[in-house]
Amino acid sequence: MKCRKMRSCLRGLSLFCVLCASVVHCFSLDREAFSFTRYDLTLQIEPEQHRLGVRGKIMLRNDTSTPQKIAVLQISSSLSWRSVKAGDKALQFVTQPYTTDIDHTGALSEAIVTLPQAVAPQGTIELEIAYEGVVLLDATRLTRIDAPEDAATSTDCDQIDVKFTAVRGAGYVAWYPIATDAAYLTEGNSLFEVSSRWKTREAGSRAHLKITVDNGMPPQILFNGVSCSSSPLPASSGDDRTVRVGTADCMDQPLRSDTPTLVIADYQTVERSAIEVRYLRGRDTAATNFADEAEKIAPLITDWFGAEREKAKTADLPDPKAAPFESGALLLMPLTSNDSRMAGLAAAHQLTHASFLSFRPWIEEGIAHFAQALYLEQQKGRPAAIEYMGLHRSAFGQAEPATTAPRSEDEVNRSLVNTTNEELYRSKAMCVWWMLRDMVGDAALKKAIAAYRSERDTEPSYMPRLIAAQTQRDLQWFFDDWVYRDRGLPDFKVESAFAIGTRGPNPDKIASCPSMARASSALFSESP
Ligand SMILES: [Zn+2]
């Protein structure tokens, strides 16, 4: 089956991030038996050859209830396994290609490793690994489902190259080892579900990278928004050229639910208190415009979502058509536009991620999109915010007309708290937050958000309870209808919600949130 909605696929692929409930699937070969709790890797990058060589150690934890003697390690199919050791002992392993769309090449190089002894449930084992190969521009997984070539390469733009290196992690390029079941773009939400499961398992993992780049210049390296401490090594003369090598140490940090992303480029930097914008030569104006817009918005965002946990970073992409990509507070996008409104929308979203963290997509992404509506309201007034949410609906409605066909039990029961569906956890969640604000008021919602701690969010009712604690009103019906169950389709309107509920505020003051048959997943654009 072809991907029925190519635009939707491409857009979703370029934007998805996040997690859902973990379900360990059982196969004869249990690829998801182990989580990787720690990466300590040394990367050798040779941009002229597009080459990546990796040595280092990884820590595996058995997440199943039975002892495991076999571990599966997967890397991009353009890379090859060289060795796997435990202690000083070389381990036996077989390699095979594994077809899956979690990697841009449409396949992984899989090492099936026989461990020296079975690892008990929740037990760990450290492995020393080595692999190498190239990371070239490759959109096989998209072109094989008939995506137009240029759109495909703008979406899967990852590569190691002398001009620009950007490699996103699981879901794009497996440049570090992962362990996942197969996922296919042609099978509904399969890629999102497999990626989400992996990210959930990785959420507590830590990574420490040491990177050497033979680039002819000191590397400027961003790893998940962290600026790695870089230093050029003294130039040395080769046979016929001067070899310059730079090294960088990227700090030990938790991966959370973000996609580990590595960017190496000859960037210029414009810095403001709220954000650092790295841009390519010739794009000074757009970069400065973006930084200034972000700086203007910062007070609104900190007022709603607290002080920044980390500094937001935006990094330029050379391809002007490249789709924006976010990994936590790091945003990759082509800095080619001087449109202040678009910059403001993007910055509002990004700064919110820099301030507020949740592992639940409907909270993490819903709130970041809600911040975009708040930004528009502040700039242009409430109707502009309502119109923005309405455009999400109508734009998507054009792409996929609402159906009157009966919905499956699965669809009806799908809840916002658990969904991996982007349109729901982005656009519908944005409206849910907007409606909550209308019901409980700004002050109460801000207090609930301020009280939220992601490490305490161990059950779906946690955030609703925090909100309920700030109001005298019974909101149970609202959460039952719009958060715990997926009744919001196709007539998601707050008026109908209030018809079910108790006495509420004046409905005239409440946003008629868009009909969310399916909403646009566009991050920043108003018409995808
Ligand atoms: Zn986001």
Side-chain angles (χ1 to χ4, degrees), residues 119-270:
V119 178
Q122 295 305 304
T124 60
I125 183 169
E126 185 179 74
L127 299 180
E128 192 174 336
I129 54 170
Y131 57 91
E132 60 193 27
V134 294
V135 180
L136 299 163
L137 191 66
D138 191 325
T140 300
R141 64 174 172 174
L142 294 173
T143 51
R144 74 182 175 195
I145 56 169
D146 296 339
E149 185 89 29
D150 59 340
T153 52
S154 291
T155 302
D156 271 346
C157 52
D158 309 71
Q159 62 178 318
I160 292 174
D161 189 77
V162 72
K163 288 189 188 135
F164 187 80
T165 290
V167 279
R168 298 168 290 178
Y172 301 91
V173 182
W175 58 272
Y176 52 90
I178 60 173
T180 55
D181 287 332
Y184 303 105
L185 288 166
T186 50
E187 290 183 0
N189 227 23
S190 133
L191 178 56
F192 296 95
E193 285 168 3
V194 170
S195 295
S196 296
R197 272 209 309 277
W198 171 250
K199 288 174 185 174
T200 303
R201 288 155 58 207
E202 287 280 279
S205 303
R206 299 189 71 87
H208 181 199
L209 304 184
K210 289 181 181 163
I211 304 168
T212 301
V213 185
D214 174 358
N215 203 24
M217 63 183 177
Q220 289 192 48
I221 296 172
L222 284 173
F223 170 53
N224 260 32
V226 174
S227 294
C228 306
S229 59
S230 310
S231 56
L233 294 181
S236 60
S237 294
D239 291 341
D240 55 0
R241 67 185 184 113
T242 297
V243 179
R244 285 184 188 276
V245 177
T247 64
D249 195 336
C250 300
M251 70 163 64
D252 193 335
Q253 63 161 344
L255 294 176
R256 303 194 315 247
S257 59
D258 307 332
T259 303
T261 297
L262 188 63
V263 182
I264 305 172
D266 184 16
Y267 279 134
Q268 314 288 303
T269 304
V270 53

Side-chain angles (χ1 to χ4, degrees), residues 7-8 10-12 14-15 290 320-326 331-334 337 339-350 368-369 372-373 375-376 384-385 387-396 399 422 426-427 430 519-528:
R7 288 181 67 205
S8 172
L10 290 172
R11 188 184 316 122
S14 69
L15 295 175
F290 191 93
K321 298 194 298 291
F325 170 78
E326 57 172 350
L331 172 66
L332 306 182
M333 65 181 288
S337 167
D339 184 331
S340 296
R341 178 184 165 100
M342 297 308 292
L345 283 169
H349 189 101
Q350 187 186 6
H369 286 281
Q372 294 179 308
Y375 156 74
L376 286 174
E387 184 191 21
Y388 178 67
M389 292 186 280
L391 284 169
H392 268 242
R393 172 200 53 189
S394 58
F396 196 86
E422 267 206 305
R426 291 182 184 277
S427 299
M430 168 174 65
S520 166
S521 67
L523 233 193
F524 316 124
S525 63
E526 293 167 49
S527 56

Side-chain angles (χ1 to χ4, degrees), residues 20-85:
C20 70
S22 173
V23 180
V24 177
H25 285 200
C26 295
F27 297 94
S28 54
L29 183 60
D30 189 350
R31 292 183 164 83
E32 303 196 353
F34 286 95
S35 291
F36 298 10
T37 61
R38 181 168 184 82
Y39 295 89
D40 196 347
L41 303 177
T42 299
L43 280 61
Q44 173 84 36
I45 295 174
E46 298 170 45
E48 281 185 21
Q49 281 74 46
H50 313 284
R51 190 154 197 84
L52 171 69
V54 180
R55 304 283 181 276
K57 292 178 177 172
I58 53 176
M59 183 72 79
L60 276 59
R61 183 187 62 222
N62 177 3
D63 280 348
T64 71
S65 56
T66 54
Q68 298 288 334
K69 186 81 169 34
I70 302 290
V72 176
L73 310 178
Q74 300 164 334
I75 49 177
S76 176
S77 69
S78 64
L79 305 171
S80 302
W81 287 102
R82 291 291 174 254
S83 71
V84 181
K85 293 181 186 173

